[in-house]
Amino acid sequence: MVSVGSVLSWMAENSGTLVSQAIQHLNIALTALVFGVALWIPAAVLVRDNERAADLFIGSAGIVLTIPSLALLSLLIPVMGIGVAPAVTALVLYSALPIARNTYTGIQGVDPASVEAGRGLGMTDRQLLVRVQLPMALSVIMAGVRQAAVLLIAITTVAAFFGAGGLGNSIFAGIRLSNANQILAATAVISAMAIGLDYGLYAVQRFLPGGTEVRDA
């Protein structure tokens, strides 16, 4: 019979395995998040003044997010093999929608009066972007990064099925062995990591301009 006590007991007996898999899990998810931030924020900035290109880009990112993770990883394996590489690639693609959409929305939501004031001071488009638009959009952009972080922590679970490691190994092993304690223990750790990462990034967001007003966008 499954109970809180039996799950905690299983966690205590297998703490070493859980810690090792949690480190693998975080490493994969955070690597993908860093690549996602490095790719999708600049991409959204590039299309900020072209509504058609922005719609196409964000729409494509939305379509990618609808592809089941098992299917996307299966499509990448013939090209990249199994392991961490296809898992990180798939996760980077999944991070596109929340990061790019919030970056575009944040820039478009900057007060036009602030932009005009910058133009009145003789700023170029590049100076307006760097000194006015991006700083004022940072809290909205960070909200997108938080959404992506939670999403990636969850999806990384499936990556274990393709040899990437992480806490998904415990969940799949628990399914094979019909061990509910193992499944619940690994799930609890994944949820705790997602919640902790979300609150950690929110703490950073609170120090950004408008960060106390924007929780999600």
Side-chain angles (χ1 to χ4, degrees):
M1 180 177 178
V2 179
S3 65
V4 174
S6 65
V7 174
L8 292 176
S9 176
W10 191 94
M11 293 176 75
E13 293 171 1
N14 298 275
S15 57
T17 300
L18 284 176
V19 170
S20 173
Q21 291 179 348
I23 292 172
Q24 285 181 335
H25 201 103
L26 269 179
N27 184 42
I28 295 168
L30 293 181
T31 299
L33 184 65
V34 169
F35 277 109
V37 168
L39 280 174
W40 305 130
I41 291 179
V45 168
L46 286 175
V47 300
R48 69 188 185 283
D49 293 326
N50 187 325
E51 188 175 349
R52 179 174 294 183
D55 288 343
L56 180 62
F57 173 44
I58 294 174
S60 299
I63 291 172
V64 170
L65 196 57
T66 66
I67 301 174
S69 52
L70 280 173
L72 183 57
L73 279 164
S74 298
L75 291 172
L76 289 173
I77 284 175
V79 180
M80 306 183 72
I82 62 172
V84 174
V88 169
T89 301
L91 293 172
V92 169
L93 293 174
Y94 281 127
S95 72
L97 181 62
I99 295 175
R101 182 179 58 193
N102 275 47
T103 300
Y104 179 76
T105 301
I107 292 174
Q108 296 302 315
V110 171
D111 184 0
S114 299
V115 176
E116 288 305 314
R119 292 193 190 281
L121 293 173
M123 289 184 184
T124 63
D125 287 345
R126 181 183 177 86
Q127 290 172 327
L128 275 172
L129 174 67
V130 174
R131 298 182 184 180
V132 178
Q133 292 173 307
L134 280 178
M136 295 184 73
L138 271 180
S139 61
V140 179
I141 295 172
M142 181 54 79
V145 173
R146 286 173 49 216
Q147 292 173 11
V150 173
L151 178 71
L152 297 186
I153 289 288
I155 297 178
T156 297
T157 305
V158 179
F161 193 72
F162 297 91
L167 287 160
N169 278 339
S170 277
I171 292 179
F172 292 127
I175 293 171
R176 286 196 302 272
L177 300 171
S178 298
N179 187 338
N181 291 325
Q182 186 171 4
I183 296 171
L184 290 173
T187 302
V189 176
I190 292 171
S191 297
M193 288 196 303
I195 293 170
L197 190 57
D198 184 47
Y199 273 90
L201 292 174
Y202 178 61
V204 175
Q205 182 184 334
R206 284 175 59 84
F207 289 99
L208 300 176
T212 57
E213 301 168 7
V214 179
R215 279 193 61 86
D216 296 294

